[in-house]
Amino acid sequence: MSYDNRAEVRKVLIITLLLNLFVMALKVVVGYSTGSLSLLADALHSVTDSANNVLGLIASKFSSPLPDREHPYGHHKFEAVGALGIAAFLGIGCFEILQGAIEQIFKGGSAVKISGSELWLLLIVLGINISVAFYERSVGKRVGSSILIADATHTMSDIWVTISVLGGLIGIWWLNFQWLDVVLAFPVALLVFWSGWSVLKENLPWLVDQMAIAPEAIHAITVSVPGVINCHDIASRGVLGRQVFIEMHLIVDAPDVETAHRITEELERQLEERFSPVRISIHVEPPAYKSESISFENGVR
């Protein structure tokens, strides 16, 4: 049985959306008043934060883990699609930062002017971003929400962006190192790209039904159950800790259907205890059936 976490996920996304809009407004105001390219790029990055929250709200609405007639395996993949959307936004942010920095190098620009009060505003922005990231990550891990964890990863990239920009502006304010505004844009872009890659790497296997559990691990648990002779054609998909689906063919030493049913129920209990939440489908075969193949892959015995 899957836990429907959507109400809590929506609450977190609405709170972070409001905070991200406030952060974006502060960055835009300070960016235009100082003429800082890196800060305006950071503000653009914050636009994607708000867009991610909206995308997350949409994905969460359709990502019920409970099955229905049209979606007998639930709707969890809608959440993974939303997480991939966040990865795409991160890629767009990376491109925009690099484009702005290269244009500044070749075309030049006006000098950046920053005051102490504007630096304090950016410290407030940084504090809000840190709070949002830890809040989203903690709730995401507690309720098993990939969209919250992915959005927290995006916000963490925003924190590093803001730290880099803030460091550059402090250098400009204190030492008048105007070149810092452009130079720091490049490592910021790399941090944004790495965040997007991490989100993509975590969620793509779920969408392409990559193996969730090694068949050898499932086989070891299965053959330890009394009455089980062997099992074969083991398949699993999903993500451990969120939702896993397991299928197998089970050879049992049972003279009747009732005994076979009792053996499979015990096996299901042990698999659920080890890999919950999990849905299991077992095809029972008689003792005379012979097969040593663990999985569908040729050569695995």
Side-chain angles (χ1 to χ4, degrees):
M1 176 74 97
S2 297
Y3 166 60
D4 191 348
N5 60 16
R6 290 178 296 161
E8 193 158 7
V9 169
R10 282 196 294 269
K11 184 181 89 170
V12 174
L13 288 173
I14 290 171
I15 292 172
T16 55
L17 173 60
L18 295 174
L19 290 173
N20 283 330
L21 288 173
F22 177 68
V23 163
M24 181 185 67
L26 280 180
K27 288 179 181 178
V28 169
V29 169
V30 177
Y32 275 111
S33 66
T34 61
S36 169
L37 169 68
S38 59
L39 186 53
L40 289 174
D42 191 14
L44 175 64
H45 189 218
S46 294
V47 172
T48 66
D49 285 331
S50 301
N52 293 340
N53 295 142
V54 174
L55 177 64
L57 286 168
I58 295 171
S60 177
K61 178 177 176 61
F62 294 104
S63 65
S64 170
L66 305 177
D68 58 29
R69 180 180 175 86
E70 287 76 25
H71 305 88
Y73 293 98
H75 309 72
H76 262 304
K77 288 186 179 181
F78 280 106
E79 197 167 315
V81 170
L84 293 186
I86 289 178
F89 277 125
L90 286 167
I92 293 170
C94 175
F95 173 78
E96 292 291 343
I97 293 171
L98 288 175
Q99 183 183 48
I102 292 170
E103 286 180 357
Q104 184 82 344
I105 290 173
F106 288 100
K107 296 181 181 179
S110 58
V112 176
K113 297 178 181 179
I114 185 82
S115 67
S117 60
E118 289 166 332
L119 288 175
W120 276 110
L121 282 176
L122 292 179
L123 284 173
I124 293 173
V125 165
L126 180 61
I128 293 173
N129 279 339
I130 291 173
S131 300
V132 167
F134 280 95
Y135 173 53
E136 278 194 300
R137 185 177 294 276
S138 63
V139 176
K141 287 184 176 180
R142 177 167 58 82
V143 303
S145 170
S146 62
I147 198 73
L148 287 183
I149 294 172
D151 198 41
T153 301
H154 186 190
T155 305
M156 284 300 299
S157 75
D158 202 29
I159 289 171
W160 289 112
V161 170
T162 303
I163 289 174
S164 299
V165 170
L166 185 58
L169 292 176
I170 289 173
I172 293 170
W173 172 67
W174 188 21
L175 303 171
N176 198 31
F177 287 168
Q178 293 289 330
W179 50 268
L180 280 173
D181 191 49
V182 175
V183 170
L184 287 174
F186 289 96
V188 164
L190 291 176
L191 287 168
V192 173
F193 174 80
W194 179 254
S195 296
W197 171 249
S198 299
V199 172
L200 181 67
K201 186 171 62 174
E202 182 177 347
N203 288 278
L204 190 59
W206 195 0
L207 290 173
V208 299
D209 288 336
Q210 183 174 310
M211 177 186 70
I213 306 166
E216 292 81 6
I218 297 173
H219 181 268
I221 293 173
T222 302
V223 296
S224 70
V225 175
V228 171
I229 297 175
N230 206 349
C231 63
H232 61 97
D233 290 349
I234 301 170
S236 66
R237 60 186 178 88
V239 177
L240 276 173
R242 299 182 193 171
Q243 178 68 64
V244 174
F245 298 88
I246 297 175
E247 300 175 7
M248 71 172 72
H249 288 220
L250 185 68
I251 305 172
V252 295
D253 185 10
D256 52 54
V257 173
E258 184 178 348
T259 304
H261 177 69
R262 188 167 59 249
I263 294 170
T264 57
E265 280 199 325
E266 173 59 21
L267 172 58
E268 288 174 350
R269 185 193 67 79
Q270 292 195 25
L271 290 173
E272 286 171 357
E273 185 178 285
R274 175 66 179 82
F275 302 117
S276 181
V278 59
R279 286 174 60 185
I280 305 162
S281 177
I282 299 175
H283 176 79
V284 177
E285 292 172 332
Y289 190 92
K290 302 294 183 183
S291 178
E292 299 298 324
S293 177
I294 293 179
S295 77
F296 291 97
E297 183 179 352
N298 291 333
V300 177
R301 299 291 177 185

